[in-house]
């Protein structure tokens, strides 16, 4: 017995040690961790570098890989960006997208907070089925809804108006936000509300003064999600808006900046980059909330 | 304290009945659910039903249709472009999902190491997922340009591995692989970050126990990491399959279904037939044809979620 144990132990210790050394030793860690990680980062970020460099390249360099190194720009120019801002409706598209995304987000957050509160806090008969229905609503993709939605929008007289987008975006924003907020409300101790109720507070007062302030991180991340999902939305904006000046950035860049056979790649890339910056900024400020809520949503 | 005081004064105000009505639980539940339910019923449930109805009619833009039974579906079965779009959708979903999950899992395992600048790295890696799809698709369009593709430039002029530039979007198969590559690129961050979240919930004690039992790195992955990751993997997989299957933006932005209709997905074909083509009934039928696949994915997700709850319950014991 003791012999056996003695024989076993050094073997085990050695194995454990070698494992530790293997993973922390410089060259091996470089090959197994840092090298693949750098390749991932480079590949994932390269299109943005390429966008940025194209946006500031003069045409002479853009189409001449023999004389100039395509990965760099020798004489950067703002012409592409100027053309985009002063010779196209780009500022108008940005404004439209911002308006639509903001109003749709506010509308969805308002509806989702109330719905999530009802489902999670005002427990009622069948509340789990309402929750399930909302989860299922999230699984209905816009790609199967846009044709009937287009006929509905037309009948309602909303075709080619911003309201068409503001009222249809909540169909994918509400399920998502509600789902996220249910998770947040769940994490807030119910006892806090009970205490307030014993003190004689009404349910709406509880929601407004106790639950919502505590759920603020959840509200912020739901808001960021909703805003960026609206900013990203494409198929409804493509199908329901006709006038050039009422289009949202993603649709307008693709349909208005690409005219005929001549692609102004510089301006196109500038347009794509500028359209990405607002959401990228939003995320960079709230990236920790964002990652937390994403992991929270997945864990739910 | 203040709340209680406010509440007490509220009872003495003339709007007493309103306060009492709002404190009536059933009324409050109704009121809370009303905005969300109204928006979802009008703009989601009704269109979903209308779409299924339209699929059985010959509706065109500007002209209401008649019920024609399964005619749209039978004619689609003989439509080469439709059949190709179904195959493309299956290929696109299958290959891109496998690639996204293999690479995403690898990236998650890499990120799960002790690394400097961890949160900066995570933020950078999320960028492809954050940027609006169409805008990054336009960048890919330029990267895949037949004459000025940077990939061709590297392969031909820098590395000398090829002699001619690749016509990425000009040939059916090249275009399909190009789209799958772009979709994979966009999907990796979401898979990686979600799986990373899953990896971080695995207790190190499990690995210690496995090491004590003499498990090697592969065995630890196979018998500890993978089963523990399974629940999250199932959920993320369902969403990924659902959204890849119904993808529209990427294909519409990069190829618009070309060259010669060879890269159409079901969603892009439905759009082309339904909106610019004006055949609302036929477009709706193509969209409705996606529903069986989505139901399967949903059932899978529901099953996976239910199983997760059971597992979590067991953990709590």
């Amino acid at each position: 017995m003791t012999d056996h144990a003695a024989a076993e132990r050094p073997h085990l210790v050695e194995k454990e040690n070698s494992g530790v050394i293997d993973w922390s030793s410089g060259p091996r860690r470089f090959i197994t961790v840092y090298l693949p990680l750098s390749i991932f980062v480079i590949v994932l970020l390269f299109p943005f570098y390429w966008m940025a460099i194209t946006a500031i390249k003069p045409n002479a360099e853009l189409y001449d890989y023999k004389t100039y190194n395509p990965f760099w720009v020798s004489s950067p120019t703002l012409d592409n960006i100027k053309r985009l801002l002063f010779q196209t409706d780009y500022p108008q598209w940005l404004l439209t997208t911002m308006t639509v995304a903001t109003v749709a987000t506010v509308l969805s957050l308002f509806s989702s907070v109330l719905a999530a509160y009802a489902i999670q806090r005002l427990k009622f008969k069948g509340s789990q089925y309402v929750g399930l229905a909302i989860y299922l609503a999230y699984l209905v993709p816009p790609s199967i809804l846009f044709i009937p939605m287009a006929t509905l929008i037309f009948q309602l007289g909303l075709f080619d108006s911003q309201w068409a987008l503001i009222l249809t975006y909540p169909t994918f924003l509400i399920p998502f936000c509600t789902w996220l907020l249910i998770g947040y409300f769940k994490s807030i101790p119910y006892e806090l509300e009970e205490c307030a109720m014993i003190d004689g507070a009404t349910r709406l007062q509880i929601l407004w003064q106790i639950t919502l302030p505590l759920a603020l991180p959840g509200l912020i991340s739901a808001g960021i999600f909703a805003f960026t999902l609206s900013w990203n939305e494409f198929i409804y904006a493509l199908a329901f808006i006709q006038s050039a000046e009422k289009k949202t950035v993603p649709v307008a860049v693709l349909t208005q900046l690409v005219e005929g056979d001549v692609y102004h790649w510089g301006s196109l890339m500038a347009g794509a980059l500028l359209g990405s910056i607002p959401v990228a900024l939003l995320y960079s400020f709230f990236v920790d909330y964002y990652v937390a809520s994403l992991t929270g949503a997945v864990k739910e | 304290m203040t709340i209680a005081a406010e509440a007490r004064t509220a009872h003495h105000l003339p709007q007493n009945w309103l306060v009492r009505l709002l404190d009536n639980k059933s009324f409050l539940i109704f009121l809370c659910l009303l905005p969300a339910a109204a928006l979802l019923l009008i703009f989601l449930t009704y269109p979903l039903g209308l779409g299924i109805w339209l699929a059985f009619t010959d509706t065109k833009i500007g002209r209401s249709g008649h019920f024609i039974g399964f005619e749209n579906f039978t004619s689609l079965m003989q439509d080469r472009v439709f059949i190709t779009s179904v195959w493309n959708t299956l290929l696109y979903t299958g290959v891109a999902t496998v690639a996204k999950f293999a690479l995403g899992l690898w990236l998650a395992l890499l990120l799960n190491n002790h690394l400097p600048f961890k949160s900066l790295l995570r933020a950078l890696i999320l960028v492809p997922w954050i940027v609006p799809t169409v805008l990054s698709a336009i960048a890919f369009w330029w990267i895949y340009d037949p004459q000025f593709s940077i990939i061709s430039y590297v392969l031909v002029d820098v590395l000398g591995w090829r002699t001619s530039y690749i016509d990425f979007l000009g040939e059916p198969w090249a275009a399909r692989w190009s789209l799958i590559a772009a979709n994979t690129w966009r999907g990796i961050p979401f898979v990686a970050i979600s799986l990373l979240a899953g990896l971080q919930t695995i207790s190190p004690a499990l690995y210690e126990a496995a090491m004590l039992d003499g498990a090697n790195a592969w065995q630890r992955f196979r018998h500890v990491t993978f089963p523990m990751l399974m629940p999250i993997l199932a959920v993320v997989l369902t969403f990924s399959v659902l959204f890849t299957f119904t993808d529209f933006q990427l294909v519409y932005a990069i190829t618009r279904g070309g060259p010669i209709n060879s890269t159409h997905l079901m969603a892009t074909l439905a759009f082309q037939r339904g909106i610019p083509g004006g055949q609302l009934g036929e477009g709706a039928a193509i969209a409705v044809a996606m529903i069986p696949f989505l139901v399967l994915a949903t059932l899978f997700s529901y099953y996976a979620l239910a199983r997760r709850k059971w597992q979590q319950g067991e953990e709590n014991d």
Side-chain angles (χ1 to χ4, degrees):
Chain A
M1 269 292 271
T2 41
D3 257 21
H4 183 69
E8 191 84 345
R9 197 163 292 146
H11 171 67
L12 221 164
V13 167
E14 185 198 58
K15 192 157 198 175
E16 213 174 28
N17 274 344
S18 71
V20 170
I21 287 163
D22 274 348
W23 283 103
S24 54
S25 76
R28 172 149 181 194
R29 195 170 154 86
F30 177 78
I31 299 282
T32 57
V33 179
Y34 291 115
L35 185 67
L37 200 58
S38 328
I39 295 175
F40 266 115
V41 172
I42 290 169
V43 171
L44 289 177
L45 295 185
F46 178 76
F48 301 106
Y49 174 74
W50 197 230
M51 247 193 240
I53 207 108
T54 306
I56 54 168
K57 263 187 197 174
N59 276 344
E61 285 184 47
L62 203 53
Y63 302 118
D64 186 354
Y65 289 181
K66 304 283 179 233
T67 339
Y68 302 97
N69 176 3
F71 288 102
W72 196 239
V73 49
S74 341
S75 42
T77 170
L78 290 177
D79 285 352
N80 297 321
I81 297 168
K82 265 189 215 152
R83 181 180 170 274
L84 183 76
L85 291 180
F86 299 113
Q87 287 168 35
T88 70
D89 288 333
Y90 200 82
Q92 178 64 41
W93 300 330
L94 271 179
L95 190 70
T96 306
T97 318
M98 201 84 82
T99 315
V100 168
T102 310
V103 181
T105 300
V106 170
L107 187 64
S108 307
L109 269 186
F110 173 77
S111 316
S112 305
V113 163
L114 291 178
Y117 187 72
I119 293 167
Q120 167 60 26
R121 279 306 200 236
L122 304 172
K123 290 262 188 302
F124 55 95
K125 217 176 166 188
S127 59
Q128 55 187 1
Y129 294 107
V130 178
L132 181 66
I134 283 180
Y135 172 70
L136 288 179
Y138 184 60
L139 301 180
V140 180
S143 321
I144 66 171
L145 287 178
F146 69 93
I147 288 176
M149 201 96 102
T151 62
L152 175 66
I153 289 296
F154 209 83
Q155 281 164 1
L156 292 174
L158 296 175
F159 188 76
D160 205 22
S161 107
Q162 296 187 0
W163 284 104
L165 306 183
I166 290 169
L167 290 172
T168 50
Y169 286 3
T171 56
F172 55 89
L173 300 181
I174 289 177
F176 190 85
C177 294
T178 308
W179 200 38
L180 207 120
L181 288 169
I182 287 176
Y184 257 90
F185 286 160
K186 221 181 262 175
S187 68
I188 299 168
Y190 192 61
E191 289 75 22
L192 284 172
E193 296 191 2
E194 278 177 338
C195 288
M197 215 178 293
I198 290 165
D199 280 352
T202 64
R203 285 189 188 269
L204 280 186
Q205 282 177 322
I206 293 172
L207 172 63
W208 184 246
Q209 296 185 346
I210 295 179
T211 317
L212 279 190
L214 286 171
L216 199 62
L219 279 176
I220 291 174
S221 41
I224 295 174
F225 267 116
F227 188 84
T228 48
L229 283 175
S230 316
W231 195 279
N232 186 18
E233 206 288 324
F234 183 71
I235 192 165
Y236 293 161
L238 181 70
F240 306 157
I241 302 293
Q242 206 169 27
S243 323
E245 73 279 5
K246 289 181 192 162
K247 288 184 174 171
T248 61
V249 170
V251 178
V253 168
L254 194 66
T255 58
Q256 300 304 122
L257 291 185
V258 183
E259 292 279 21
D261 293 336
V262 186
Y263 301 134
H264 297 278
W265 283 113
S267 301
L268 254 177
M269 289 300 117
L273 200 65
L274 278 185
S276 312
I277 286 173
V279 278
L281 273 180
L282 200 61
Y283 271 91
S284 64
F285 283 128
F286 294 106
V287 73
D288 288 331
Y289 272 134
Y290 171 69
V291 172
S293 65
L294 184 68
T295 56
V298 170
K299 267 189 239 156
E300 259 326 299
Chain B
M1 276 278 281
T2 46
I3 298 163
E6 272 170 40
R8 259 178 235 125
T9 49
H11 273 288
H12 298 293
L13 291 173
Q15 306 98 315
N16 205 341
W17 62 271
L18 186 68
V19 172
R20 221 178 289 159
L21 188 61
L22 286 179
D23 233 18
N24 176 314
K25 205 172 154 188
S26 325
F27 180 73
L28 196 61
I29 289 165
F30 171 76
L31 206 65
C32 283
L33 288 176
L34 186 66
L39 278 166
L40 291 181
L41 286 174
I42 299 172
F43 292 104
L44 193 128
T45 315
Y46 172 68
L48 190 61
L50 183 64
I52 295 171
W53 162 251
L54 282 176
F56 293 96
T57 68
D58 57 358
T59 311
K60 292 185 173 61
I61 279 183
R63 186 176 73 83
S64 61
H66 303 284
F67 182 80
I68 53 165
F70 283 91
E71 212 171 286
N72 282 327
F73 295 96
T74 47
S75 75
L76 281 176
M77 291 311 285
Q78 283 141 23
D79 183 338
R80 284 238 173 123
V81 177
F82 173 73
I83 303 290
T84 312
S85 81
V86 175
W87 284 119
N88 284 342
T89 311
L90 291 171
L91 177 85
Y92 183 77
T93 311
V95 177
T97 305
V98 170
K100 267 184 264 195
F101 276 78
L103 294 169
L105 179 60
W106 187 15
L107 182 56
L109 290 168
L110 292 173
L111 287 171
N112 203 27
N113 283 295
H114 291 289
L115 296 167
F117 309 114
K118 220 170 188 174
S119 63
L120 178 71
L121 256 180
R122 273 193 307 208
L124 286 179
I125 276 163
L126 272 171
V127 171
W129 195 61
I130 289 158
V131 167
T133 314
V134 169
L135 301 182
S136 53
I138 291 172
F140 270 95
W141 196 17
W142 171 224
I143 287 174
Y144 290 147
D145 188 90
Q147 274 177 291
F148 299 102
S149 166
I150 192 68
I151 301 175
S152 291
Y153 170 79
V154 170
L155 291 179
V156 175
D157 296 323
V158 180
L159 299 171
W161 287 356
R162 283 181 59 97
T163 50
S164 63
Y165 272 33
I166 303 168
D167 190 7
F168 287 100
L169 305 176
E171 292 166 45
W173 277 103
R176 283 178 196 134
W177 291 121
S178 303
L179 290 174
I180 290 173
N183 182 284
T184 305
W185 172 86
R186 194 187 128 70
I188 288 175
F190 177 66
V191 175
I193 296 293
S194 314
L195 294 186
L196 178 65
L199 285 176
Q200 286 174 346
T201 61
I202 302 175
S203 154
L206 289 173
Y207 290 107
E208 280 165 28
M211 288 225 267
L212 282 173
D213 289 342
N216 61 31
W218 166 248
Q219 286 170 326
R220 287 196 300 264
F221 176 78
R222 173 70 188 79
H223 296 289
V224 179
T225 312
F226 196 68
M228 293 298 287
L229 214 52
M230 203 51 215
I232 279 194
L233 206 67
V235 178
V236 179
L237 190 68
T238 315
F239 279 111
S240 175
V241 166
L242 212 65
F243 291 119
T244 314
F245 195 89
T246 57
D247 192 18
F248 174 83
Q249 310 195 16
L250 206 92
V251 175
Y252 188 83
I254 299 180
T255 68
R256 301 219 180 168
I260 357 166
N261 290 328
S262 60
T263 59
H264 264 304
L265 299 184
M266 288 163 88
T268 55
L269 189 65
F271 181 84
Q272 201 198 42
R273 297 269 167 92
I275 307 288
Q279 306 284 343
L280 287 174
E282 196 184 330
I286 298 172
V288 165
M290 291 196 269
I291 292 179
F293 296 100
L294 303 179
V295 169
L296 278 179
T298 309
L299 285 176
F300 174 72
S301 130
Y302 184 64
Y303 168 74
L305 278 175
R307 213 179 80 154
R308 284 190 68 213
K309 257 180 208 147
W310 169 74
Q311 280 193 340
Q312 279 172 347
E314 199 181 51
E315 256 174 33
N316 290 341
D317 283 346

CSV table of all heavy atoms in Angstrom, one decimal, chain A residues 271-289:
chain,number,residue,atom,x,y,z
A,271,GLY,N,-18.2,56.4,-46.1
A,271,GLY,CA,-19.5,56.3,-45.6
A,271,GLY,C,-19.7,55.2,-44.7
A,271,GLY,O,-20.4,55.3,-43.6
A,272,ALA,N,-19.1,54.0,-45.0
A,272,ALA,CA,-19.3,52.9,-44.2
A,272,ALA,C,-18.6,53.1,-42.8
A,272,ALA,O,-19.2,52.8,-41.8
A,272,ALA,CB,-18.6,51.6,-44.8
A,273,LEU,N,-17.5,53.8,-42.8
A,273,LEU,CA,-16.7,54.0,-41.6
A,273,LEU,C,-17.5,55.0,-40.7
A,273,LEU,O,-17.7,54.7,-39.5
A,273,LEU,CB,-15.3,54.6,-42.0
A,273,LEU,CG,-14.3,54.4,-40.9
A,273,LEU,CD1,-14.0,53.0,-40.6
A,273,LEU,CD2,-13.0,55.2,-41.4
A,274,LEU,N,-17.9,56.1,-41.3
A,274,LEU,CA,-18.6,57.1,-40.5
A,274,LEU,C,-19.9,56.5,-40.0
A,274,LEU,O,-20.3,56.9,-38.8
A,274,LEU,CB,-19.0,58.3,-41.4
A,274,LEU,CG,-17.9,59.4,-41.6
A,274,LEU,CD1,-18.5,60.5,-42.4
A,274,LEU,CD2,-17.4,59.8,-40.3
A,275,GLY,N,-20.6,55.6,-40.7
A,275,GLY,CA,-21.8,55.0,-40.2
A,275,GLY,C,-21.6,54.1,-39.1
A,275,GLY,O,-22.4,53.8,-38.3
A,276,SER,N,-20.3,53.5,-39.0
A,276,SER,CA,-20.0,52.6,-38.0
A,276,SER,C,-19.6,53.3,-36.7
A,276,SER,O,-19.7,52.7,-35.6
A,276,SER,CB,-18.8,51.7,-38.4
A,276,SER,OG,-19.1,51.2,-39.7
A,277,ILE,N,-19.0,54.5,-36.8
A,277,ILE,CA,-18.4,55.2,-35.7
A,277,ILE,C,-19.4,55.4,-34.5
A,277,ILE,O,-19.1,55.1,-33.3
A,277,ILE,CB,-17.7,56.5,-36.1
A,277,ILE,CG1,-16.4,56.1,-36.8
A,277,ILE,CG2,-17.4,57.4,-34.9
A,277,ILE,CD1,-15.6,57.2,-37.4
A,278,PRO,N,-20.7,55.9,-34.8
A,278,PRO,CA,-21.5,56.1,-33.6
A,278,PRO,C,-21.8,54.9,-32.8
A,278,PRO,O,-21.7,55.0,-31.5
A,278,PRO,CB,-22.9,56.6,-34.3
A,278,PRO,CG,-22.5,57.1,-35.6
A,278,PRO,CD,-21.3,56.4,-36.0
A,279,VAL,N,-22.0,53.8,-33.4
A,279,VAL,CA,-22.3,52.5,-32.6
A,279,VAL,C,-21.0,52.1,-31.9
A,279,VAL,O,-21.0,51.6,-30.8
A,279,VAL,CB,-22.9,51.4,-33.4
A,279,VAL,CG1,-24.4,51.6,-33.5
A,279,VAL,CG2,-22.3,51.2,-34.8
A,280,ALA,N,-19.9,52.2,-32.7
A,280,ALA,CA,-18.6,51.7,-32.1
A,280,ALA,C,-18.3,52.6,-30.8
A,280,ALA,O,-17.9,52.0,-29.8
A,280,ALA,CB,-17.5,51.8,-33.1
A,281,LEU,N,-18.5,53.9,-30.9
A,281,LEU,CA,-18.3,54.8,-29.8
A,281,LEU,C,-19.2,54.4,-28.6
A,281,LEU,O,-18.7,54.2,-27.5
A,281,LEU,CB,-18.6,56.2,-30.1
A,281,LEU,CG,-17.5,57.0,-30.8
A,281,LEU,CD1,-17.9,58.4,-31.1
A,281,LEU,CD2,-16.2,57.0,-29.9
A,282,LEU,N,-20.4,54.2,-28.9
A,282,LEU,CA,-21.4,53.8,-27.8
A,282,LEU,C,-20.9,52.5,-27.1
A,282,LEU,O,-20.9,52.5,-25.9
A,282,LEU,CB,-22.7,53.5,-28.5
A,282,LEU,CG,-24.0,53.5,-27.6
A,282,LEU,CD1,-24.1,54.9,-27.0
A,282,LEU,CD2,-25.2,53.2,-28.5
A,283,TYR,N,-20.4,51.5,-27.9
A,283,TYR,CA,-20.0,50.3,-27.3
A,283,TYR,C,-18.7,50.5,-26.5
A,283,TYR,O,-18.6,50.0,-25.4
A,283,TYR,CB,-19.7,49.3,-28.4
A,283,TYR,CG,-20.9,48.4,-28.7
A,283,TYR,CD1,-21.8,48.8,-29.7
A,283,TYR,CD2,-21.2,47.3,-27.9
A,283,TYR,CE1,-22.9,48.1,-30.0
A,283,TYR,CE2,-22.3,46.5,-28.2
A,283,TYR,CZ,-23.1,46.9,-29.2
A,283,TYR,OH,-24.2,46.2,-29.5
A,284,SER,N,-17.8,51.4,-27.0
A,284,SER,CA,-16.5,51.5,-26.3
A,284,SER,C,-16.7,52.2,-24.9
A,284,SER,O,-16.0,51.9,-24.0
A,284,SER,CB,-15.5,52.3,-27.2
A,284,SER,OG,-16.0,53.6,-27.3
A,285,PHE,N,-17.8,53.0,-24.8
A,285,PHE,CA,-18.0,53.6,-23.5
A,285,PHE,C,-18.6,52.6,-22.6
A,285,PHE,O,-18.5,52.7,-21.4
A,285,PHE,CB,-19.0,54.8,-23.7
A,285,PHE,CG,-18.3,56.0,-24.2
A,285,PHE,CD1,-18.9,56.7,-25.2
A,285,PHE,CD2,-17.2,56.5,-23.5
A,285,PHE,CE1,-18.2,57.9,-25.7
A,285,PHE,CE2,-16.6,57.7,-24.0
A,285,PHE,CZ,-17.1,58.3,-25.1
A,286,PHE,N,-19.4,51.7,-23.1
A,286,PHE,CA,-20.2,50.8,-22.3
A,286,PHE,C,-19.8,49.3,-22.4
A,286,PHE,O,-20.6,48.4,-22.1
A,286,PHE,CB,-21.7,50.9,-22.6
A,286,PHE,CG,-22.2,52.3,-22.3
A,286,PHE,CD1,-22.5,53.2,-23.2
A,286,PHE,CD2,-22.4,52.6,-20.9
A,286,PHE,CE1,-23.0,54.5,-22.9
A,286,PHE,CE2,-22.9,53.9,-20.6
A,286,PHE,CZ,-23.2,54.8,-21.6
A,287,VAL,N,-18.5,49.1,-22.9
A,287,VAL,CA,-18.2,47.7,-23.3
A,287,VAL,C,-18.3,46.8,-22.1
A,287,VAL,O,-18.7,45.6,-22.2
A,287,VAL,CB,-16.8,47.7,-23.9
A,287,VAL,CG1,-15.7,47.9,-22.9
A,287,VAL,CG2,-16.6,46.4,-24.7
A,288,ASP,N,-18.0,47.3,-20.9
A,288,ASP,CA,-18.1,46.4,-19.7
A,288,ASP,C,-19.5,46.0,-19.4
A,288,ASP,O,-19.8,44.8,-19.2
A,288,ASP,CB,-17.4,47.0,-18.5
A,288,ASP,CG,-15.9,47.0,-18.7
A,288,ASP,OD1,-15.4,46.1,-19.4
A,288,ASP,OD2,-15.3,47.9,-18.2
A,289,TYR,N,-20.4,47.0,-19.4
A,289,TYR,CA,-21.9,46.7,-19.3
A,289,TYR,C,-22.3,45.7,-20.3
A,289,TYR,O,-23.0,44.8,-20.1
A,289,TYR,CB,-22.7,47.9,-19.6
A,289,TYR,CG,-23.0,48.8,-18.4
A,289,TYR,CD1,-22.8,50.2,-18.5
A,289,TYR,CD2,-23.4,48.3,-17.2
A,289,TYR,CE1,-23.1,51.0,-17.5
A,289,TYR,CE2,-23.7,49.1,-16.2
A,289,TYR,CZ,-23.5,50.5,-16.3
A,289,TYR,OH,-23.8,51.3,-15.2
